[in-house]
Amino acid sequence: MSKIEPILDEALLKLQNAGLNDIETIRIEYLGKKGKITEMLKNLSELSIEEKKQFGAEINTAKTKLNEAVENKKKEITARLLEEKMKNEKIDISPAFAFPFSKGHKHIITKTIREMTDIFVSLGFDVAEGKEIETDWYNFEALNIPKDHPARDTQDTFYLEGSQNLLRTHTSPAQIHIMEQTKPPIRVVVPGRVYRNEATDATHSATFHQIEGLVVGEDITFAELKGTLSLFIHRLFGQEIDLRFRPSHFQFTEPSAEVDIKCVICGGKGCRVCKQSGWLEVLGCGMVHPNVFKSVNYDSEKYTGYAFGMGVERFAMFKNGIDDMRVLYENDIRVLKQF
Ligand code: PHE
C-alpha cells in the first residue's frame, strides 16, 4: 500500500517535464503490460481478500489519475505547439486593407478631351458625338473631297470588307450629320476616335482622337474663328504662349488655316519635337466651304460658318511633356500613375 504513492508521484513528476514524444514512453513505463503499476496488480494474489480489495482499489485510482495526467499533458503540449505555430505563421494583412486605397483615375486622353471641351463649353458650345463607321459620302463627298483626292487613297483609309462603309479618317463627317439634323445657329464640338491606315511610330498611330468644332450662323466671320481659337489656345497653354495662324488648305474650308504654337519643349529654339522649326502645329481650321453647305441644303448666301479640327494626342503630349505617342496607348501602370 505504501508502495503505490511514490510510484505515482514519480510518474507524475516525469510527466510534468516531458515533451510530446516522451509521454507515450512514460505511459508504457507505468501503465503498459509490464508497467510498474500494472506489475503491482500481479502481486495481489499474495494478499488477503481485504487487502486485495483495498490495494486493488488504490491501484485503480492511481491508474486513472495517471491516465488522466497523460491525456492532459498531451492536450497541453499540442495546444502550446499550435499556438506557437500560429504565431510563427502569422501574416500581417493590415497593409492590404490600409487606407487610403489607391484609386484608379481617368486616362490622360480622356482627361485631355475633358479639359479641351470644357473650354469650348464655357464659351457656349454644345458637345455632340459622331459615328466611327461612316460612308464615303459623309467622310469625303459631302465635305467636298472629290473621288480622285489623295485623302481617299486606300493607303490612308480603312474600308470595311463587304460593305460601302469605312472607318472615319477624321471627325469632320460629324459636321454633315449635325447640319442635316439641325438648323443654324450651330455652335458645337465633337470629340471622338478616328482611324488611319498608318504605321505606328513616336508621332503616328492608326487610331487616335480628334475634336471637331463647327459654328454656323448669320454673320459668322473669320475674326470670330481667330478670336475663339486664340482664346482656346491661351486657356489651355497659358496666356504667355505664342501662336500663329498660317495659311493652309482643306477641301471643306475656304479660306483655310493651321494654327501653330511656339514649341513648348524648346521654347522656339528648335528641337527634335518641333523638327527644328520652333513651332508645333496644333489644329486645322477655316470658313465652311459653300459646297459643304450645299451638301446639307444650307443657303450659303444666308449662312456662314467656321470649322476646326485638332488631334487630342498632340495636345496631351505637348501639355505633359511626352515625346512618344505610343506611351499613351501602352497602358503601362507606371506611366498612367503620373497623369
Ligand atoms: N479634318 C481635318 C483633319 O483631319 C481638320 C480640319 C477640320 C480642318 C475642320 C479644317 C476644318 O486634318
Side-chain angles (χ1 to χ4, degrees):
M1 190 171 134
S2 53
K3 278 187 191 166
I4 187 83
E5 287 245 347
I7 292 181
L8 181 62
D9 285 347
E10 176 191 293
L12 291 175
L13 189 70
K14 280 191 186 173
L15 210 51
Q16 216 169 56
N17 303 316
L20 192 59
N21 297 329
D22 309 323
I23 296 176
E24 187 59 10
T25 321
I26 294 168
R27 196 189 63 79
I28 293 168
E29 187 184 343
Y30 292 90
L31 302 169
K33 263 183 194 158
K34 290 180 179 164
K36 286 180 185 170
I37 293 178
T38 319
E39 287 288 306
M40 292 181 121
L41 281 170
K42 292 175 188 166
N43 300 329
L44 285 181
S45 52
E46 291 157 24
L47 301 174
S48 69
I49 294 188
E50 271 309 300
E51 283 171 327
K52 267 185 197 167
K53 259 193 183 168
Q54 205 198 332
F55 198 43
E58 276 177 25
I59 294 174
N60 280 332
T61 314
K63 277 174 76 176
T64 314
K65 274 190 184 164
L66 189 53
N67 267 321
E68 269 174 16
V70 164
E71 288 313 310
N72 286 341
K73 189 70 185 176
K74 272 191 199 162
K75 276 187 202 153
E76 178 199 312
I77 294 182
T78 19
R80 202 185 60 224
L81 289 178
L82 183 66
E83 199 179 312
E84 269 170 27
K85 194 177 173 204
M86 295 214 295
K87 229 186 244 168
N88 291 338
E89 292 180 359
K90 193 166 118 181
I91 297 169
D92 183 8
I93 57 164
S94 52
F97 295 97
F99 288 92
F101 291 118
S102 64
K103 281 179 268 183
H105 59 74
K106 297 263 183 309
H107 189 271
I108 177 174
I109 294 290
T110 309
K111 280 189 185 171
T112 308
I113 290 175
R114 291 272 170 95
E115 205 181 336
M116 291 166 78
T117 49
D118 280 357
I119 296 172
F120 288 106
V121 168
S122 80
L123 296 174
F125 281 71
D126 293 323
V127 181
E129 257 181 46
K131 316 169 172 204
E132 292 183 17
I133 295 175
E134 282 291 3
T135 60
D136 185 273
W137 168 257
Y138 286 99
N139 198 76
F140 298 123
E141 198 86 37
L143 289 165
N144 193 37
I145 303 174
K147 285 269 188 265
D148 54 2
H149 193 277
R152 289 175 169 230
D153 201 311
T154 44
Q155 292 282 25
D156 297 324
T157 309
F158 285 117
Y159 290 93
L160 299 183
E161 228 167 46
S163 78
Q164 301 290 355
N165 296 333
L166 50 85
L167 296 176
R168 68 176 173 191
T169 57
H170 52 177
T171 42
S172 299
Q175 292 185 31
I176 307 300
H177 288 293
I178 288 163
M179 288 191 280
E180 278 178 346
Q181 286 158 22
T182 42
K183 293 254 154 299
I186 292 170
R187 193 172 291 272
V188 67
V189 285
V190 188
R193 196 184 279 268
V194 300
Y195 302 84
R196 286 186 197 172
N197 197 350
E198 287 178 332
T200 302
D201 63 25
T203 54
H204 294 88
S205 166
T207 154
F208 57 101
H209 299 78
Q210 286 187 333
I211 296 181
E212 192 77 11
L214 178 68
V215 175
V216 183
E218 291 174 41
D219 305 320
I220 301 292
T221 62
F222 196 89
E224 186 184 325
L225 174 162
K226 241 186 132 175
T228 304
L229 293 179
S230 301
L231 186 147
F232 166 74
I233 296 292
H234 281 133
R235 286 257 185 103
L236 205 58
F237 287 99
Q239 235 17 75
E240 324 72 44
I241 192 97
D242 250 349
L243 66 116
R244 70 180 183 192
F245 283 76
R246 177 168 45 76
S248 186
H249 173 82
F250 298 101
Q251 282 295 117
F252 33 93
T253 49
E254 181 59 35
S256 303
E258 280 177 290
V259 174
D260 300 333
I261 58 171
K262 198 51 92 50
C263 180
V264 290
I265 309 294
C266 65
K269 286 190 202 77
C271 69
R272 196 173 59 84
V273 176
C274 62
K275 298 190 177 90
Q276 309 309 325
S277 73
W279 293 94
L280 299 168
E281 178 195 316
V282 291
L283 63 86
C285 59
M287 301 307 289
V288 178
H289 196 290
N291 286 353
V292 175
F293 281 146
K294 213 162 154 192
S295 304
V296 294
N297 297 317
Y298 272 20
D299 181 354
S300 58
E301 292 299 318
K302 186 171 177 196
Y303 298 117
T304 52
Y306 65 89
F308 54 89
M310 45 202 172
V312 174
E313 277 75 354
R314 289 173 68 76
F315 280 90
M317 290 165 74
F318 298 154
K319 267 194 77 71
N320 298 284
I322 298 168
D323 66 358
D324 192 327
M325 196 187 278
R326 287 167 289 200
V327 309
L328 299 177
Y329 305 114
E330 278 162 359
N331 287 333
D332 183 329
I333 199 80
R334 294 165 302 179
V335 173
L336 296 184
K337 271 183 175 168
Q338 297 176 49
F339 303 103

